[in-house]
Amino acid sequence: MSKTVLTGFSIAFLLFSSSFAIEGFRPVKAKNGMVVCGEPIACNVGLQVLKEGGNAVDASVAVAFTLAVTYPNAGNLGGGGFMIFRNAANNIFALDYREKAPIAASRDMYLDSSGTVIDKASTLGYRAAGVPGTVAGLWEAHKKFGRLKWKRLLAPAIKLAETGFVIDAFQAAALQSATEDFNKFSSSKTIFTKKGEPFKTGDRLVQKDLSKTLKRIAKKGAAGFYYGKTAGRIALDMQHNGGLITEEDLHRYKPVWREAIEGTYRGYTFYSMPPPSSGGIVLSEILNTLELFEVSKMDINSSAQIRLWVEIERQAYADRAQWLGDPDFVENPQARLISKKYAKTIKQSLHYFSAGCSDSIKVKPIRGRESDQTTHFSITDRWGNAVSNTFTLNGNYGSRAVAEGTGVLLNNEMDDFSIKPGFPNSYGLVGTVANSITSEKRMLSSMTPTIITKNDSLFLVIGGPGGSKIITTVAQVISNVIDHKMNIRQAIENPRFHHQWKPDVIFMERERFSKDTRNNLENSGYKLEYKTYMGYAQGILFNKKTKTYSGWSDPRSDGKAAGY
Ligand code: GLY
């Protein structure tokens, strides 16, 4: 046999022999650091910061400010969020920079005199905005953990706002969908439309006022937003347009370091966000209960697996609605809900042979809603520090109102409060008095930035947008990795399903589950509802043996994973 033939045989053998495994569905791999985020320009900015010697927090600051420019749908200065930070010594920090209700806010502020919810009052325009927390949060994280100069980290965002960036198809479609609303506010119309007409792919989005605001923040830190010109302009525009936020509200805003929710899942330790996010508690309930079953022996995406998850989620989301709210105002029964003992109680009450019934779980609901237009980034650096950060304006472009002269899009996060008893929203989420509006209270969230370790070594950094579906998205990725031994790309790309107690339906991604699975579920009494996609996870796995990061940005959206 000639040498060439032999070589051909050898290659064929190597490729097809099971002893030589080339990893399929390859994620992005890197040794020194990784940025996974929902928008490619911001991802590149973060990577450059890492390469210049910045740590994961530095890169987070640069990515977040850039997203405020290049991804105005959810990236923001005028919103809020949560960050979980793990340093290389395995210390965990949880930063709450969630928005707060303005001082003048009150429980029934979105109801008319007959007690009816005023259409769009909590979603559109100035009155829908909570006091923003993002700038204070990023400033706080940088003060405590940053290495590079604050000004350096804001420089890319300032430039992108000043000279503009080319609008891609994704951004063009999103801007178009909001153009009618932008036209209701002269400040928004000037920036986010072309004289009232929607921007198109290839146009340039220039945000001069935003670049000036960013320059003030670069120079003065958080004071460049919460005091002086920026604060004055926000307050004045609020006053002119029926909003409630005053300069005093802005002066009083403080981010809060909280104790992360800590739990274990099959020998791994997870850290996630405590209230005012429901993420960590609901995630704990789901994982603690799931751990009582041999999930790895179940066929993934089978009706048996989905039924188990759904019954667990039903109880976890009912607890969310019943109990959770801002811990500075209400007592959350956190210790009980996240205990392994409580998971055993849930296990005993689960339905195994037919669909459970949400009405059999008694909760006195209040209306509350959550949008899925949030954004998440996961970042790791060469030292082993890791950031999992989710932040938001709530709806796509928040309240759609830009504070005149600042370029700052205001959030519509007030809509995350429970507004009225017994009135389910478009997402069907309901809550109780624990999440009712009170002056200076933080509204309940589902954001679930999460970090997982194994034997004190970094394992997984995960999170994503998706409104109420964030928590189940994160839980499913975690189980896919730990129980089903998927790599980060497979775990993120796997089809998703979701149940949130009310409405009593299983949401499933369309065309992604077999007919058998769907028939089995329906024959067991479940109602199915189809969605094009659910959640965009952004994750990084760390392989301790090879000291390699694997990252993947959910193909359900337009993000990017990049490392070096
Ligand atoms: N606004 C979405 C959330 O906080 O969960």
Side-chain angles (χ1 to χ4, degrees), residues 97-117:
Y97 58 95
R98 180 72 159 164
E99 302 92 324
K100 305 165 53 162
I103 298 164
S106 56
R107 196 192 62 185
D108 296 335
M109 63 184 276
Y110 298 114
L111 308 184
D112 66 16
S113 53
S114 66
T116 307
V117 173

Side-chain angles (χ1 to χ4, degrees), residues 80 82 98-99 276-278 320 369-374 392-395 412-413 416 429 443-448 466-468 470:
F82 300 102
R98 180 72 159 164
E99 302 92 324
S277 182
S278 62
R320 178 197 193 278
R369 43 172 125 188
E370 276 163 277
S371 144
D372 47 10
Q373 301 306 329
T374 294
T392 188
L393 287 166
N394 190 30
N412 60 353
E413 215 73 60
D416 270 356
L429 268 180
M443 54 298 279
L444 190 62
S445 169
S446 292
M447 291 189 269
T448 316
S468 57
I470 293 175

Side-chain angles (χ1 to χ4, degrees), residues 15 40 57 69 138 145 179 196 214 382 405 431 454 483 494 526:
L15 282 176
V57 170
V69 179
L138 297 173
F145 298 112
T179 295
L214 285 165
R382 67 176 89 161
K454 177 90 193 263
D483 296 319
N494 194 61
Y526 291 98

